[in-house]
Amino acid sequence: MILASGAPEGAGLFIPPLFEVIASVLCLLPIAWIVAKKAVPIYLRTLDERTEKIEGGLRRAAEAEEQIAVERAQWAQEIADARAQSGKARDEARAEAQAIVAEARAQASQEAERLLATAKAQIAAEAKAAEEDLRGHIGTLATQLAGQIVGEALEDQALATRVIDRFLDDLEASTVPAGSAGSRR
Amino acid sequence: MRSLAMLLPLASSEEGGGMETPSLGELFPPPFAFDGSNFFEMNRLSLVRIVATVVIVLLMWAGIRATRLIPGRGGGTFEMLMEFVHKQIAVEILGKEAGRRYLPLLATIFFAVLGMSITGVVPFLNIASTSLVAMPLLLACISLVAFIIAGIKSHGAGGYVKSALFPAGAPKAIYVILTPIEFLSTFVLRPATLTIRLMANMIAGHFLLTAFFMMTNYLLISGTSAMKGMSVLPFAGALVFTCFEIFVAALQAYIFTLLTSVYISLAREAH
């Protein structure tokens, strides 16, 4: 049979002819070359790169998250600071306003007192001037009255002056305490 | 005639125009080139082997070209296969660091066995070049050399021979039997079983498929009209076993690679 012609007998099945071994080696060489020298290194490199990318990405994400947390804390701190500062400013302003009001009030009352005092002094001065004026008038009037009463008897100038002065002194002695008390009232 | 006909009395009982049965002769077709040359004789199987080699190299090339940081469809398939050898075999058995170092060797074995075996179900090729002893034996020898080198690297030449052939803890007299047994099991039976497991699986698969297809052919061509309809059955069987043979090819590639890494792992670890 032609089909069975080449078949080796028994253990011969397990002993390869030389040309088979050579052919197998020659075929295995390019396979080994492309798999071991090309395919595997490229596969491993891609795998490493991918792992690195993923790990790097995760690390970067974690870092970003951390930074966001830090910044958020900073913002919160800043907001709290600003709030505290504005509160303080408000308190200060309020205190200042109070001080200003108090000062204004004090100034106003001082001014009022001063005005009052000036007015009082003016009144007193005017009263005094009126009194002096009045006294002069009274002297003249009294003299005229006395002259008219006494008549022509009192022609002597010196006597008249003496009489008038004494009269005025008496008048003054009797009226000044009453007059000063009256002006105070 | 060394053929399954001897095992199939029903088929062989028919005289003359009986059903053709698969025979070992199919694995040893007559040479068509360089006949008689011990070095470059070519037959059908040599051609199948060359085709398989070219296809493996081209597919690897395409896979390398398609590999991107963000995987696409083509690169994804290539990476999936690579990742299977890397994660499921190399790292699983040898650990992360050594698994990476031995990946070139293991991937070469895996893709060579897979590519050379899968031709058994490819139409017009229809035979696996691993069903001849040369390729399995060559790969088994590579495995043997690899685990011996791994052992010597880990323990030194003397240390490895000692750990492999003189396991510690046995009484001295026992070594008289133990050492030859260890030698046989480690350095002879390991490559022998690797070779025979792969080769026998491929031969059996080939015979199974051939038997189904020949039966289909016989029933369809030579059968009576009622028998012609029956040819559907062996054809369905052939389809089922074609799928099964694809699985077997992948399984054999996996087993061969897995055992190689187990042997390397055993050689690296001291007894």
Side-chain angles (χ1 to χ4, degrees):
Chain A
M1 285 277 292
I2 186 109
L3 278 178
S5 64
E9 297 285 322
L13 199 60
F14 297 103
I15 299 164
L18 187 58
F19 73 89
E20 280 286 344
V21 176
I22 290 169
S24 295
V25 170
L26 287 181
C27 284
L28 204 55
L29 279 178
I31 295 174
W33 173 75
I34 196 148
V35 173
K37 291 282 170 204
K38 297 278 165 194
V40 168
I42 279 172
Y43 160 76
L44 287 175
R45 203 175 60 209
T46 311
L47 198 71
D48 290 348
E49 257 176 57
R50 202 173 293 154
T51 309
E52 209 287 315
K53 273 266 158 68
I54 291 169
E55 274 175 2
L58 288 177
R59 202 181 52 234
R60 276 192 292 278
E63 279 172 3
E65 218 162 281
E66 208 170 297
Q67 197 167 353
I68 285 169
V70 167
E71 272 172 21
R72 198 166 283 170
Q74 271 177 352
W75 292 342
Q77 185 60 45
E78 270 168 33
I79 287 169
D81 283 355
R83 219 167 260 165
Q85 226 161 15
S86 74
K88 213 169 92 178
R90 213 163 25 222
D91 287 351
E92 274 175 3
R94 202 173 287 147
E96 208 170 324
Q98 271 172 352
I100 287 168
V101 168
E103 200 182 337
R105 199 171 280 156
Q107 249 173 3
S109 68
Q110 224 174 353
E111 183 74 15
E113 244 168 69
R114 195 179 58 78
L115 282 174
L116 197 62
T118 311
K120 270 182 189 162
Q122 208 169 352
I123 288 165
E126 270 171 23
K128 191 158 183 161
E131 198 182 280
E132 301 259 316
D133 200 23
L134 201 58
R135 193 180 291 169
H137 279 296
I138 286 170
T140 312
L141 281 174
T143 308
Q144 276 175 355
L145 187 64
Q148 279 169 358
I149 292 167
V150 177
E152 265 66 28
L154 291 172
E155 299 255 299
D156 187 3
Q157 191 66 40
L159 180 69
T161 305
R162 243 185 352 256
V163 171
I164 289 163
D165 280 347
R166 197 166 54 233
F167 170 71
L168 282 176
D169 284 345
D170 287 351
L171 189 70
E172 200 166 349
S174 66
T175 59
V176 160
S180 66
S183 75
R184 264 185 211 132
R185 204 171 283 136
Chain B
M1 186 173 114
R2 298 169 49 81
S3 76
L4 280 193
M6 288 189 276
L7 304 171
L8 295 168
L10 266 177
S12 63
S13 65
E14 291 178 41
E15 293 283 317
M19 188 184 125
E20 263 191 86
T21 53
S23 80
L24 269 182
E26 288 159 30
L27 299 174
F28 302 94
F32 64 80
F34 307 114
D35 192 4
S37 153
N38 264 337
F39 299 104
F40 299 112
E41 195 176 293
M42 294 275 280
N43 56 32
R44 202 180 114 70
L45 265 109
S46 316
L47 206 62
V48 168
R49 185 159 41 220
I50 289 168
V51 170
T53 303
V54 169
V55 170
I56 292 171
V57 170
L58 287 180
L59 284 179
M60 276 294 142
W61 180 257
I64 290 166
R65 293 287 303 273
T67 299
R68 301 274 184 286
L69 198 59
I70 297 150
R73 203 172 300 165
T77 313
F78 166 74
E79 275 187 42
M80 197 186 75
L81 284 169
M82 268 297 184
E83 197 180 295
F84 176 75
V85 182
H86 183 207
K87 299 277 162 69
Q88 301 298 316
I89 301 176
V91 172
E92 184 80 18
I93 304 294
L94 291 165
K96 203 161 179 184
E97 194 265 330
R100 198 185 164 92
R101 199 142 40 81
Y102 281 100
L103 185 59
L105 172 79
L106 296 175
T108 301
I109 290 176
F110 182 83
F111 287 113
V113 174
L114 182 64
M116 294 287 172
S117 303
I118 207 95
T119 53
V121 295
V122 176
F124 305 112
L125 300 180
N126 291 107
I127 197 153
S129 56
T130 41
S131 53
L132 285 181
V133 74
M135 188 55 89
L137 189 62
L138 180 64
L139 290 166
C141 286
I142 291 172
S143 173
L144 173 76
V145 170
F147 78 70
I148 289 175
I149 290 175
I152 290 172
K153 266 187 182 167
S154 292
H155 309 295
Y160 176 60
V161 169
K162 194 170 178 302
S163 81
L165 298 182
F166 301 92
K172 283 222 161 59
I174 294 292
Y175 287 126
V176 177
I177 337 171
L178 196 57
T179 300
I181 290 174
E182 284 291 322
F183 176 79
L184 207 66
S185 80
T186 304
F187 298 110
V188 178
L189 289 182
R190 277 180 187 180
T193 50
L194 278 179
T195 307
I196 294 165
R197 185 183 302 109
L198 175 56
M199 179 185 163
N201 263 285
M202 288 307 121
I203 294 175
H206 175 71
F207 279 179
L208 213 56
L209 285 182
T210 315
F212 273 119
F213 281 125
M214 282 175 170
M215 212 182 290
T216 310
N217 190 57
Y218 173 71
L219 289 175
L220 201 61
I221 307 286
S222 321
T224 61
S225 53
M227 294 279 273
K228 281 190 201 298
M230 294 281 284
S231 67
V232 172
L233 291 177
F235 187 70
L239 286 182
V240 169
F241 274 94
T242 297
C243 296
F244 182 68
E245 281 308 308
I246 296 172
F247 168 71
V248 168
L251 186 71
Q252 288 306 316
Y254 173 63
I255 291 174
F256 206 110
T257 316
L258 186 78
L259 284 175
T260 301
S261 49
V262 167
Y263 295 155
I264 290 170
S265 168
L266 285 174
R268 281 161 56 83
E269 288 158 14
H271 281 285

